[in-house]
Amino acid sequence: MPRKYGFEACIASVLFIILFLVIVLQIMGRTSWVQGPIWTEELARWIWVWMALIGIGTVERDQAHLRMGFLIELLPTRLQRVFATITDLVV
């Protein structure tokens, strides 16, 4: 049975959990209960960037892009392939 999620998706998920915890720490640091560290904002930004870049790799591999294909899907299959080839060449 093939795995549902790839290695990249697992890493992106772990980064998301870490990001959530860093943001909670950042929010708690704005209250009078906890003295918040100043590095949490920058760390949250970097985790977000790396999470997005790793997630893009997973989406690309799985061909899971968001797309609006309602007009293309009305065309015959052969013409759909032509437009897909043209799009790939342009991109």
Side-chain angles (χ1 to χ4, degrees):
M1 179 175 193
R3 290 177 28 182
K4 184 172 182 172
Y5 300 108
F7 180 70
E8 299 94 354
C10 293
I11 289 180
S13 298
V14 169
L15 285 175
F16 179 75
I17 293 168
I18 294 170
L19 176 66
F20 177 78
L21 295 174
V22 168
I23 290 174
V24 167
L25 180 64
Q26 190 176 29
I27 291 170
M28 294 298 291
R30 294 178 183 168
T31 64
S32 59
W33 300 326
V34 179
Q35 179 66 29
I38 59 174
W39 49 264
T40 56
E41 184 177 348
E42 191 71 23
L43 181 62
R45 183 177 299 124
W46 279 104
I47 291 172
W48 181 269
V49 167
W50 280 104
M51 182 183 66
L53 289 174
I54 292 170
I56 287 170
T58 300
V59 168
E60 182 68 31
R61 186 191 66 232
D62 295 342
Q63 294 291 314
H65 306 288
L66 292 176
R67 59 188 174 104
M68 295 176 55
F70 60 94
L71 291 177
I72 293 291
E73 290 171 358
L74 295 175
L75 298 173
T77 305
R78 181 173 232 157
L79 208 49
Q80 287 180 18
R81 286 190 199 129
V82 169
F83 277 109
T85 304
I86 291 171
T87 303
D88 287 341
L89 289 173
V90 169
V91 172

